[in-house]
Amino acid sequence: DTGVSQDPRHKITKRGQNVTFRCDPISEHNRLYWYRQTLGQGPEFLTYFQNEAQLEKSRLLSDRFSAERPKGSFSTLEIQRTEQGDSAMYLCASSVGDISRNEQFFGPGTRLTVL
Amino acid sequence: GQNIDQPTEMTATEGAIVQINCTYQTSGFNGLFWYQQHAGEAPTFLSYNVLDGLEEKGRFSSFLSRSKGYSYLLLKELQMKDSASYLCAVRDEAGGSYIPTFGRGTSLIVHP
């Protein structure tokens, strides 16, 4: 499978715990995006990397959220001190080529449930 | 923000044609995307419009009018597998961002 992969697919945690998700983009894609999606809503942008550089970060992103892409390949998203409101599907996407066209390829997502 | 507006839900009959509308407000419009998302799955890219007019791709077509802040996705010869959420996403570079903002999506139900 040469698509975007995410791990784990499901995560259940207790409020206050830290969680980390991983995303492996399509191998030649230099751009990587994280989104959050709740039921009945479209994906909400969290952050964006070009290679290893984090170029954009949503103003809505709490300081409990941090993302890295240390070698410009896979990325991790960490949520510290989770809250029930963090329960959502976390989607990763990657793209390559002309940024203006920006066709993004999405992974299957990690569903987070905070109890 | 982009103030993207789409109908929440639509129903249509197998074999028919359906048009899903999307209106938006931007200061620096630079592209509109349509994605399809089946329940429990990731969004998949359908189309991209940056100039006015109609882009056709098989059974799916997407139209854009920049002056009206309006787009539609046209689905012909509907099939049951077309039941999904259809997401309109708009890029507004006025704030210096290249990242499109997604609307809430339109849930399309195709019945026999």
Side-chain angles (χ1 to χ4, degrees), chain A residues 74-94:
Chain A
F74 74 92
S75 174
T76 57
L77 176 69
E78 182 183 17
I79 308 174
Q80 297 182 324
R81 304 180 304 280
T82 53
E83 302 172 356
Q84 288 185 326
D86 297 331
S87 295
M89 176 73 85
Y90 289 83
L91 294 166
C92 175
S94 68

Tab-separated table of all heavy atoms in Angstrom, chain A residues 74-94:
chain	number	residue	atom	x	y	z
A	74	PHE	N	8.062	10.953	8.049
A	74	PHE	CA	6.885	10.765	8.899
A	74	PHE	C	6.729	11.952	9.850
A	74	PHE	O	7.656	12.744	10.073
A	74	PHE	CB	6.994	9.456	9.680
A	74	PHE	CG	7.977	9.495	10.812
A	74	PHE	CD1	7.579	9.844	12.093
A	74	PHE	CD2	9.316	9.179	10.589
A	74	PHE	CE1	8.497	9.883	13.135
A	74	PHE	CE2	10.239	9.215	11.614
A	74	PHE	CZ	9.828	9.579	12.899
A	75	SER	N	5.523	12.060	10.407
A	75	SER	CA	5.240	13.131	11.355
A	75	SER	C	4.533	12.549	12.573
A	75	SER	O	3.878	11.500	12.482
A	75	SER	CB	4.349	14.183	10.703
A	75	SER	OG	3.948	15.176	11.629
A	76	THR	N	4.696	13.225	13.699
A	76	THR	CA	3.953	12.863	14.903
A	76	THR	C	3.167	14.065	15.396
A	76	THR	O	3.611	15.211	15.261
A	76	THR	CB	4.888	12.380	16.018
A	76	THR	OG1	5.845	13.403	16.301
A	76	THR	CG2	5.594	11.098	15.628
A	77	LEU	N	2.001	13.784	15.940
A	77	LEU	CA	1.162	14.797	16.575
A	77	LEU	C	0.957	14.355	18.009
A	77	LEU	O	0.474	13.248	18.261
A	77	LEU	CB	-0.179	14.917	15.858
A	77	LEU	CG	-1.199	15.885	16.465
A	77	LEU	CD1	-0.743	17.338	16.288
A	77	LEU	CD2	-2.580	15.701	15.835
A	78	GLU	N	1.340	15.206	18.948
A	78	GLU	CA	1.174	14.886	20.360
A	78	GLU	C	0.143	15.814	20.981
A	78	GLU	O	0.153	17.034	20.714
A	78	GLU	CB	2.501	15.013	21.119
A	78	GLU	CG	2.359	14.639	22.603
A	78	GLU	CD	3.646	14.825	23.407
A	78	GLU	OE1	4.554	15.527	22.924
A	78	GLU	OE2	3.706	14.273	24.521
A	79	ILE	N	-0.714	15.252	21.791
A	79	ILE	CA	-1.658	16.043	22.568
A	79	ILE	C	-1.348	15.776	24.033
A	79	ILE	O	-1.394	14.624	24.486
A	79	ILE	CB	-3.125	15.674	22.275
A	79	ILE	CG1	-3.393	15.703	20.775
A	79	ILE	CG2	-4.058	16.640	23.003
A	79	ILE	CD1	-4.785	15.198	20.403
A	80	GLN	N	-1.039	16.826	24.765
A	80	GLN	CA	-0.747	16.681	26.198
A	80	GLN	C	-1.993	17.007	27.017
A	80	GLN	O	-2.822	17.828	26.611
A	80	GLN	CB	0.394	17.616	26.584
A	80	GLN	CG	1.705	17.288	25.878
A	80	GLN	CD	2.842	18.208	26.317
A	80	GLN	OE1	2.622	19.393	26.560
A	80	GLN	NE2	4.040	17.663	26.434
A	81	ARG	N	-2.088	16.360	28.153
A	81	ARG	CA	-3.192	16.628	29.104
A	81	ARG	C	-4.534	16.639	28.358
A	81	ARG	O	-5.257	17.642	28.347
A	81	ARG	CB	-2.959	17.966	29.812
A	81	ARG	CG	-1.607	18.041	30.525
A	81	ARG	CD	-1.415	19.398	31.229
A	81	ARG	NE	-1.545	20.538	30.347
A	81	ARG	CZ	-0.604	20.966	29.536
A	81	ARG	NH1	0.569	20.341	29.460
A	81	ARG	NH2	-0.805	22.042	28.781
A	82	THR	N	-4.848	15.519	27.745
A	82	THR	CA	-6.043	15.453	26.908
A	82	THR	C	-7.306	15.857	27.663
A	82	THR	O	-7.431	15.622	28.876
A	82	THR	CB	-6.236	14.047	26.326
A	82	THR	OG1	-6.208	13.093	27.394
A	82	THR	CG2	-5.189	13.726	25.290
A	83	GLU	N	-8.232	16.435	26.923
A	83	GLU	CA	-9.535	16.851	27.445
A	83	GLU	C	-10.612	16.155	26.619
A	83	GLU	O	-10.373	15.723	25.496
A	83	GLU	CB	-9.688	18.368	27.328
A	83	GLU	CG	-8.614	19.136	28.056
A	83	GLU	CD	-8.676	20.628	27.776
A	83	GLU	OE1	-9.517	21.062	26.941
A	83	GLU	OE2	-7.878	21.370	28.395
A	84	GLN	N	-11.814	16.079	27.172
A	84	GLN	CA	-12.891	15.394	26.453
A	84	GLN	C	-13.178	16.077	25.118
A	84	GLN	O	-13.552	15.414	24.153
A	84	GLN	CB	-14.148	15.331	27.316
A	84	GLN	CG	-14.004	14.346	28.478
A	84	GLN	CD	-15.286	14.184	29.268
A	84	GLN	OE1	-16.053	15.129	29.423
A	84	GLN	NE2	-15.516	12.982	29.770
A	85	GLY	N	-12.977	17.354	25.042
A	85	GLY	CA	-13.197	18.083	23.803
A	85	GLY	C	-12.199	17.750	22.710
A	85	GLY	O	-12.388	18.155	21.562
A	86	ASP	N	-11.150	17.020	23.069
A	86	ASP	CA	-10.174	16.606	22.056
A	86	ASP	C	-10.649	15.376	21.297
A	86	ASP	O	-10.025	14.991	20.294
A	86	ASP	CB	-8.825	16.290	22.708
A	86	ASP	CG	-8.192	17.484	23.387
A	86	ASP	OD1	-8.449	18.629	22.944
A	86	ASP	OD2	-7.443	17.287	24.368
A	87	SER	N	-11.712	14.758	21.736
A	87	SER	CA	-12.244	13.574	21.049
A	87	SER	C	-12.646	13.954	19.637
A	87	SER	O	-13.468	14.861	19.431
A	87	SER	CB	-13.451	13.023	21.812
A	87	SER	OG	-13.069	12.548	23.076
A	88	ALA	N	-12.055	13.268	18.678
A	88	ALA	CA	-12.279	13.606	17.266
A	88	ALA	C	-11.524	12.598	16.407
A	88	ALA	O	-10.788	11.750	16.909
A	88	ALA	CB	-11.762	15.014	16.942
A	89	MET	N	-11.695	12.737	15.097
A	89	MET	CA	-10.869	11.993	14.153
A	89	MET	C	-9.717	12.915	13.752
A	89	MET	O	-9.958	14.064	13.358
A	89	MET	CB	-11.686	11.619	12.911
A	89	MET	CG	-10.872	10.930	11.835
A	89	MET	SD	-10.451	9.239	12.285
A	89	MET	CE	-11.942	8.391	11.752
A	90	TYR	N	-8.489	12.425	13.852
A	90	TYR	CA	-7.324	13.208	13.464
A	90	TYR	C	-6.819	12.675	12.133
A	90	TYR	O	-6.407	11.514	12.017
A	90	TYR	CB	-6.252	13.164	14.552
A	90	TYR	CG	-6.693	13.960	15.755
A	90	TYR	CD1	-7.533	13.405	16.718
A	90	TYR	CD2	-6.334	15.308	15.893
A	90	TYR	CE1	-8.002	14.153	17.787
A	90	TYR	CE2	-6.791	16.064	16.965
A	90	TYR	CZ	-7.622	15.482	17.907
A	90	TYR	OH	-8.090	16.232	18.959
A	91	LEU	N	-6.898	13.531	11.127
A	91	LEU	CA	-6.540	13.152	9.763
A	91	LEU	C	-5.204	13.747	9.375
A	91	LEU	O	-4.907	14.896	9.686
A	91	LEU	CB	-7.602	13.673	8.781
A	91	LEU	CG	-8.998	13.063	8.882
A	91	LEU	CD1	-9.998	13.900	8.093
A	91	LEU	CD2	-8.999	11.640	8.366
A	92	CYS	N	-4.436	12.958	8.673
A	92	CYS	CA	-3.185	13.412	8.095
A	92	CYS	C	-3.338	13.377	6.577
A	92	CYS	O	-4.017	12.505	6.025
A	92	CYS	CB	-2.056	12.494	8.539
A	92	CYS	SG	-0.462	12.835	7.787
A	93	ALA	N	-2.733	14.339	5.900
A	93	ALA	CA	-2.763	14.365	4.438
A	93	ALA	C	-1.386	14.759	3.924
A	93	ALA	O	-0.600	15.396	4.641
A	93	ALA	CB	-3.810	15.343	3.929
A	94	SER	N	-1.092	14.379	2.692
A	94	SER	CA	0.171	14.804	2.094
A	94	SER	C	-0.073	15.249	0.657
A	94	SER	O	-1.099	14.916	0.049
A	94	SER	CB	1.220	13.685	2.147
A	94	SER	OG	0.871	12.604	1.302
